[in-house]
Amino acid sequence: MKIAIHNSKGSFSDRWVSYCEKNNISFILVNAYDSDIVEQISDCTAFMWHHSHGNYKDVLFAKQFLYSLEQRGMKVFPNFNTTWHFDDKVGQKYLFEAIDAPFVPSFVFYTKKEAMEWINKTTFPKVFKLRGGAGSANVKLAKTKLQAKKFVRKAFGRGFSQFDRLGYLKERYSKFIQGKDTFIGVCKGFARLFIPTEFAKMYHREKGYVYFQDFIPNNSFDIRIVVVGDKAFALKRLVRKNDFRASGGGSIIYDKNQIDERCVKIAFEVNEKIKSQSIAYDFVFDKDNNPLIVEISYGYTAPAYDKCEGYWDRDLNWHKGENFDFCGWMIDDLLKS
Ligand SMILES: Nc1ncnc2c1ncn2[C@@H]1O[C@H](COP(=O)(O)OP(=O)(O)O)[C@@H](O)[C@H]1O
Ligand SMILES: [Mg+2]
């Protein structure tokens, strides 16, 4: 039994390595970008890669590589059920409709004509999203018909960069004002107006589709439930000031009593239908206070969860205690599978 781990500093791989070392699990660190990677890991039973939506190389082939290994019979993390929908909100719309999960009503159009016809007969506001992106970077409010039409024209014209330069500067500035970013951070945001990110340079623009969700009003926070196998942990994220978006805002509450356990139950149930190894489920609440899934993601920044006060098991029993090793759970579950 030997695990190959793609080495990527700052990702789950740091913790996977520590867990393997601590528990005498045999592993090798590899570079998945090597052309002969399949041969390099041919004597391994498992392969793990915390691939990222923010790295253009990962986006180009990580999923295809993982699924290929799965076809060969290797154990992989994340596997197909866990990651085919990663960073793909359009894919998630079909998934949640197909499995009848409580999901924010979502709409997608592949021609300008159909999108414009829908806009003329629907209600506003709506939430406009690109299919990829994180930290709320590609999520905007279309308050009116006119604003929605502007998004549609761009979606079927020049398209959108995955990296919103002005949005990025605004975000850094507003975090600076709140004491959550430095002046240098703001300068970097300013520089990004002129120097595109590597991702923006290398990856295609988003176009040829347009995606909207119903706007679920009066949410001052969202709830994120992370399921890893038969365990779950959670946090509450406050929306930014004068905004409706929580993700990426940096105001996190770890108090277990502020987590609506209906979300934990739904996350477990939906995860059983999806049959994923691990997924973070984000919820908002509709006007009748029912939880609705906004989006899902297998990947996240691990340190943000270290302050969770404990976790739930599948029977919704609470296990108190910080610093449980959820990245270790990923390895245990994988080896058991
Ligand atoms: N349909 C919606 N109605 C109300 N708020 C929403 C809706 N969709 C997203 N949000 C808010 O915007 C934030 C970012 O949206 P999300 O789809 O999760 O994008 P990202 O992938 O960037 O995290 C969420 O954390 C939530 O607070
Ligand atoms: Mg989100």
Side-chain angles (χ1 to χ4, degrees), residues 57 96 99 124 179 196 214-215 237 264 269 296:
K57 294 183 286 186
F96 289 124
I99 64 173
F124 286 90
D214 275 352
F215 173 58
R237 306 182 297 187
V264 183
E269 286 167 1
I296 57 172

Side-chain angles (χ1 to χ4, degrees), residues 90 93-94 106-122 124 126 128-129 148 152 155-156 207-213:
V90 173
K93 166 194 147 67
Y94 295 113
S106 303
F107 310 87
V108 64
F109 303 96
Y110 301 102
T111 63
K112 185 172 166 183
K113 181 170 172 285
E114 283 158 301
M116 291 300 191
E117 281 169 8
W118 173 77
I119 284 174
N120 282 329
K121 57 179 202 251
T122 191
F124 286 90
K126 288 278 188 285
F128 166 85
K129 300 185 183 185
V152 170
F156 295 98
K207 59 196 291 189
Y209 72 94
V210 68
Y211 178 73
F212 291 98
Q213 280 187 334

Side-chain angles (χ1 to χ4, degrees), residues 53 87 89 92 104-106 126-141 211-224 237-240 243-249 282-285 292-297:
H53 65 279
D87 204 39
K89 293 182 172 78
Q92 293 169 22
V104 175
S106 303
K126 288 278 188 285
V127 179
F128 166 85
K129 300 185 183 185
L130 296 184
R131 74 191 301 176
S136 301
N138 296 329
V139 173
K140 305 210 163 92
L141 198 62
Y211 178 73
F212 291 98
Q213 280 187 334
D214 275 352
F215 173 58
I216 312 299
N218 305 321
N219 280 272
S220 55
F221 56 86
D222 79 353
I223 296 287
R224 167 165 281 201
R237 306 182 297 187
L238 304 183
V239 302
R240 294 162 174 80
D243 203 322
F244 68 102
R245 301 166 311 158
S247 160
D282 295 348
F283 291 89
V284 293
F285 296 82
L292 291 177
I293 298 170
V294 166
E295 66 139 356
I296 57 172
S297 170

Side-chain angles (χ1 to χ4, degrees), residues 10-44:
S11 79
F12 293 159
S13 69
D14 298 340
R15 292 172 182 227
W16 290 335
V17 167
S18 312
Y19 187 78
C20 288
E21 284 171 346
K22 220 164 61 195
N23 294 282
N24 287 321
I25 298 169
S26 164
F27 73 96
I28 51 165
L29 284 176
V30 295
N31 176 9
Y33 309 132
D34 287 349
S35 185
D36 64 347
I37 183 64
V38 172
E39 196 193 320
Q40 281 183 35
I41 62 173
S42 57
D43 64 338
C44 295

